[in-house]
Amino acid sequence: MALDPTVSSNSSARRWTDRISNALQKEVDIDLNLLPPVCVLQVPKTLTHQKPEAYTPQLIGMGPYHHLRPDLYQMERYKLAAIKDILEPAQIINFEHLLINKLRENDLVVRACYNRYMDIDEETLAWIVAIDGLFLLNILRSAYGNNVHDHHENNIDDSIFTRDFMMLENQMPFVVVRQISELLHLSPPEDREDAELISMFRRFCEMHSPLPFPSNNEYHRIYTKETQPLHLLDLMYHLILDDRADFASVPIQMSSIIIKHDDKDEEDDQDQDTHEDIMHNFGTILEVLEHTGPRDVQKLVKPINQFVANVPWSTISGLFRKGMERNGDEESKNISNIPSASRLWCYARVRCSPIHEGISMIKFEQASSTLYLPVITMNAGSEVILRNLMVYEAAMSKSKREFARYINLMSGIANATEDVRLLRQDGVIIGDLTDNEIATLFSTMQRSFVRASGSSNVEIAMEKVNKYYDQRLIVRARKGLKKNIYVSWKFLPVALWIFFVLLLIFQTFCSVYGCHNVWGNRD
């Protein structure tokens, strides 16, 4: 029997009223400015509908957004086993008193980390974050702790397991994990700056980051309350960009996300209209000639008619139109563009060279015609990490959007299988994914609108590459030829109209005045 939605709605409303009333009483003596910032966000459906598995956990639900999903219940027993492994028997017996009750008292702090309203009571939320927080701590301590000597042999494989840990919606706030560790005395008493916990977070990021961290990054040596990460994804993002921002003061605003939509439907409609117009014009002329002209003309016109009917006009016109859009309209947009790796090498002899540094070291040297790019590792979990890093950056109001610029660069330079093959040959791309899989990944990632910034080294490098590329004689000739062909294509139907009208006039003239020497023999 289906539940009465009115009863369910009323029950939910009562829970909301009770929670708000209790929270209001507790907040009297609380400075709201001391609450942690929102850091775990629900990804907009405009992004998830194309690749839902990149943003929604497939095996492990961490936190209130996905813990209670029925399809993820099979991991519950593994989480409980991890709790038994990390805690002493006495702690398990007094688990509710030692941890759950304390988390219930800090319910406001936990909820402040999430941007979505959660229709669950304090006790349920406390149990969720307690179980998931201890599960994460057990993973970090067993595979990335200070006592683990060979992290490469003990770290979790780059699989669905790891991908789920790096999804934005599946993050465990650092402030919650730290509180759990403190309440259960899982960290050394002398570790007041959470050095051990941050070190485990960092090792996890080092093992699974698709991009290298800057060699001069000293984030792991300096620990203060102001520079603690918000969660695993946040730490990986700042390490990749070598961004020493005040993590705890970076507010999150999902409204800042701007997405580039593909207008493929509109383009297809325009191509279809062009195709129909051409076919209608040609069909009218050829029909007249085929039925009114002499037999020789009919024999000539009939195969022409068949040929014109089979020409893929929509494809041809679409290619020319897209080519002109790349040369014209896109220049006025705030989407950075760069020629593909194969075109850079073919037309300008520009090669890409790998560097084991972060994004901040991307540069172009004109003297050697070399574009220096960080080595990117493309494995099974790389796409999930890249997509979630990109969304997380877009959600931060103080972000410089440098990672989005890098994704725009890679989407342009690794646009096809041949481009990826060249980049892999140069050592810029490594990993287990095939060339076709990598090319498909970058070609399908939505490019971001990023405002111009004179301080962005990625943007400066792209501008230098484009300027150097456009100055090549062969490139200028190619662009000029493409433009002239496009202009010619626009007047082609008119020229054909004139040609066939003149042919019809000539045929009529010869039929009346008998131009036998020109038109052919009599029947």
Side-chain angles (χ1 to χ4, degrees):
M1 182 177 65
L3 294 175
D4 186 353
T6 305
V7 175
S8 177
S9 176
N10 290 337
S11 176
S12 176
R14 283 195 297 271
R15 288 198 302 271
W16 178 85
T17 303
D18 293 339
R19 190 181 68 78
I20 292 298
S21 176
N22 294 333
L24 187 60
Q25 295 177 8
K26 292 180 180 179
E27 290 177 11
V28 173
D29 298 325
I30 295 178
D31 185 356
L32 297 181
N33 294 323
L34 299 178
L35 292 176
V38 176
C39 60
V40 185
L41 306 102
Q42 188 175 26
V43 182
K45 292 183 179 179
T46 52
L47 293 177
T48 60
H49 80 282
Q50 290 187 344
K51 196 83 172 179
E53 63 273 20
Y55 307 99
T56 306
Q58 305 297 301
L59 182 64
I60 307 170
M62 301 289 288
Y65 286 171
H66 297 286
H67 185 106
L68 298 179
R69 278 173 46 192
D71 58 316
L72 302 180
Y73 279 171
Q74 70 272 15
M75 283 302 301
E76 205 71 18
R77 59 194 180 108
Y78 295 101
K79 292 180 179 180
L80 295 177
I83 293 176
K84 293 179 181 179
D85 182 59
I86 198 174
L87 297 182
E88 300 291 336
Q91 291 177 315
I92 296 176
I93 295 174
N94 299 306
F95 187 76
E96 189 167 357
H97 172 71
L98 293 174
L99 185 59
I100 300 301
N101 292 340
K102 297 293 191 300
L103 291 175
R104 287 184 60 184
E105 294 175 2
N106 290 327
D107 178 77
L108 186 62
V109 173
V110 176
R111 291 181 188 271
C113 299
Y114 297 86
N115 77 319
R116 194 180 76 182
Y117 170 73
M118 294 171 289
D119 187 19
I120 52 179
D121 55 52
E122 295 178 356
E123 185 173 5
T124 303
L125 181 59
W127 276 98
I128 289 175
V129 297
I131 292 174
D132 291 341
L134 282 171
F135 179 66
L136 177 60
L137 278 171
N138 183 64
I139 294 295
L140 294 175
R141 290 180 56 161
S142 61
Y144 308 95
N146 294 330
N147 297 327
V148 179
H149 299 290
D150 194 337
H151 301 285
H152 291 277
E153 290 186 1
N154 293 278
N155 73 80
I156 304 170
D157 293 335
D158 195 1
S159 60
I160 296 178
F161 199 82
T162 305
R163 297 202 298 267
D164 285 353
F165 273 150
M166 295 310 300
M167 292 181 181
L168 177 56
E169 293 186 0
N170 222 28
Q171 293 299 299
M172 284 299 299
F174 180 86
V175 63
V176 176
V177 178
R178 182 187 64 197
Q179 185 178 20
I180 293 173
S181 179
E182 291 176 352
L183 292 174
L184 297 177
H185 307 289
L186 299 178
S187 299
E190 65 276 5
D191 186 13
R192 297 182 179 180
E193 299 296 342
D194 307 308
E196 183 183 28
L197 185 57
I198 294 179
S199 295
M200 291 188 293
F201 268 54
R202 180 186 172 92
R203 291 191 189 101
F204 183 96
C205 294
E206 287 177 338
M207 294 299 173
H208 302 290
S209 173
L211 289 162
F213 301 151
S215 58
N216 61 345
N217 191 296
E218 297 184 355
Y219 179 82
H220 62 297
R221 298 193 183 99
I222 303 174
Y223 311 104
T224 65
K225 295 296 182 182
E226 290 74 24
T227 57
Q228 289 176 343
L230 300 178
H231 42 62
L232 279 172
L233 188 68
D234 175 77
L235 178 60
M236 181 180 289
Y237 171 79
H238 288 287
L239 288 174
I240 288 175
L241 270 70
D242 193 21
D243 188 352
R244 298 300 305 282
D246 181 351
F247 297 99
S249 66
V250 180
I252 307 294
Q253 296 181 356
M254 289 304 292
S255 59
S256 64
I257 294 182
I258 306 176
I259 306 165
K260 176 184 177 294
H261 297 282
D262 295 329
D263 299 327
K264 291 184 177 179
D265 294 338
E266 296 180 5
E267 293 176 0
D268 293 340
D269 293 341
Q270 293 176 5
D271 290 340
Q272 184 66 24
D273 293 340
T274 304
H275 171 238
E276 292 177 355
D277 292 341
I278 294 175
M279 289 304 299
H280 175 73
N281 295 338
F282 285 156
T284 302
I285 298 173
L286 295 174
E287 184 178 359
V288 173
L289 291 177
E290 188 174 357
H291 290 88
T292 60
R295 270 184 252 173
D296 292 341
V297 176
Q298 294 176 9
K299 292 179 182 179
L300 177 65
V301 169
K302 193 167 186 178
I304 293 177
N305 194 7
Q306 294 175 351
F307 169 77
V308 171
N310 294 325
V311 170
W313 298 107
S314 59
T315 303
I316 296 174
S317 61
L319 291 175
F320 279 102
R321 180 173 51 77
K322 290 177 181 178
M324 288 305 298
E325 285 180 1
R326 283 194 296 268
N327 292 333
D329 295 341
E330 287 186 359
E331 292 180 356
S332 61
K333 295 180 180 179
N334 290 324
I335 300 181
S336 302
N337 294 282
I338 190 172
S340 64
S342 56
R343 288 190 176 185
L344 286 175
W345 175 250
C346 180
Y347 298 118
R349 282 297 182 263
V350 172
R351 60 183 294 269
C352 298
S353 181
I355 53 174
H356 296 278
E357 296 284 348
I359 293 176
S360 59
M361 298 304 293
I362 293 177
K363 62 179 180 179
F364 175 69
E365 288 187 356
Q366 183 171 334
S368 59
S369 302
T370 303
L371 176 61
Y372 292 93
L373 297 172
V375 177
I376 181 169
T377 304
M378 301 302 297
N379 292 322
S382 300
E383 178 177 7
V384 170
I385 296 175
L386 291 174
R387 287 181 179 273
N388 281 271
L389 284 171
M390 193 172 178
V391 173
Y392 181 64
E393 179 187 63
M396 292 190 295
S397 60
K398 293 185 179 181
S399 168
K400 298 177 181 179
R401 305 302 303 277
E402 196 71 354
F403 191 80
R405 291 186 177 92
Y406 170 75
I407 293 298
N408 288 349
L409 184 153
M410 292 302 299
S411 296
I413 207 169
N415 192 45
T417 304
E418 177 62 19
D419 304 322
V420 177
R421 187 190 67 80
L422 289 175
L423 292 172
R424 192 189 293 273
Q425 181 178 317
D426 292 334
V428 174
I429 293 179
I430 60 176
D432 300 330
L433 294 186
T434 65
D435 294 349
N436 185 59
E437 289 173 334
I438 297 174
T440 302
L441 187 158
F442 282 116
S443 63
T444 56
M445 288 189 72
Q446 294 171 320
R447 297 190 181 185
S448 301
F449 291 93
V450 184
R451 292 182 179 180
S453 172
S455 60
S456 168
N457 65 293
V458 177
E459 185 177 305
I460 292 173
M462 294 177 69
E463 290 176 354
K464 289 183 177 179
V465 169
N466 287 329
K467 184 178 180 180
Y468 182 81
Y469 179 81
D470 292 338
Q471 288 177 345
R472 301 301 94 189
L473 181 61
I474 187 172
V475 174
R476 295 166 61 186
R478 182 173 173 271
K479 287 187 176 182
L481 179 62
K482 183 186 294 186
K483 183 176 181 180
N484 292 332
I485 290 177
Y486 177 75
V487 174
S488 301
W489 174 256
K490 292 177 63 176
F491 292 100
L492 181 60
V494 178
L496 289 175
W497 261 100
I498 296 173
F499 171 75
F500 282 113
V501 168
L502 292 176
L503 183 62
L504 182 60
I505 294 172
F506 182 72
Q507 173 211 352
T508 305
F509 176 82
C510 291
S511 298
V512 174
Y513 294 99
C515 303
H516 307 303
N517 295 331
V518 178
W519 191 249
N521 297 326
R522 292 182 179 179
D523 294 338

